[in-house]
């Protein structure tokens, strides 16, 4: 079982049903019955998904008479987004480098294929 917050967040997000539940809760709080409507599953199954989301800190449960509406708590998503953004910068830089390398390879192949052709002049 994951112990750090980021691991719990990603573990909870790994399931498509839990992601759909979070998307539903992004529009506002909902009861287990309301969350179960779009799925072909029991209230107990939805409750299990909610428990996983609660343990990851993504959902809180309130009390309104006999109902316990669930609410989205997006704070753990912000931490996950920050972690992903760090790698997005890495991949952006890596892909830029790859693009430059591929352009150089194409220019080199063109010159080798037609030695009479010279590299285009920079018109900047």
């Amino acid at each position: 079982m994951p112990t750090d917050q980021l691991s719990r967040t990603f573990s909870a997000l790994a399931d498509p049903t839990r992601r759909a539940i979070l998307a539903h809760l992004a529009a506002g709080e909902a009861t287990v019955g309301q969350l179960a409507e779009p799925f072909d599953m029991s209230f107990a199954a939805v409750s299990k998904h909610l428990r996983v989301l609660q343990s990851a800190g993504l959902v809180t449960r309130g009390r309104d008479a006999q109902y316990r509406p669930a609410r989205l708590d997006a704070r753990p998503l912000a931490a996950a987004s920050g972690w992903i953004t760090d790698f997005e910068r890495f991949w952006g830089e890596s892909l830029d480098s790859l693009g430059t390398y591929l352009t150089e390879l194409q220019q080199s192949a063109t010159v080798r294929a037609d030695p009479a052709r010279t590299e285009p002049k920079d018109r900047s």
Side-chain angles (χ1 to χ4, degrees), residues 3-117:
T3 57
D4 66 286
Q5 181 59 50
L6 193 58
S7 294
R8 284 191 306 270
T9 299
F10 282 120
S11 179
L13 294 174
D15 185 276
T17 301
R18 290 193 286 269
R19 291 191 305 269
I21 289 170
L22 289 177
H24 189 279
L25 292 174
E29 70 181 28
T31 64
V32 172
Q34 292 167 327
L35 292 170
E37 284 175 15
F39 303 105
D40 185 24
M41 64 176 65
S42 68
F43 285 15
V46 172
S47 290
K48 284 183 182 182
H49 283 295
L50 283 173
R51 279 194 294 279
V52 171
L53 292 168
Q54 277 184 270
S55 71
L58 293 163
V59 168
T60 60
R61 302 287 300 270
R63 205 163 278 283
D64 182 15
Q66 73 268 26
Y67 298 105
R68 294 195 61 218
R71 291 178 200 83
L72 174 66
D73 184 347
R75 289 179 292 183
L77 294 174
S81 177
W83 187 85
I84 290 169
T85 298
D86 291 342
F87 285 92
E88 181 180 27
R89 275 185 246 137
F90 165 77
W91 284 111
E93 292 168 6
S94 296
L95 291 174
D96 289 345
S97 297
L98 179 60
T100 301
Y101 177 70
L102 290 174
T103 300
E104 291 170 1
L105 279 178
Q106 289 171 334
Q107 289 172 350
S108 175
T110 302
V111 170
R112 274 186 271 138
D114 186 3
R117 184 177 176 168

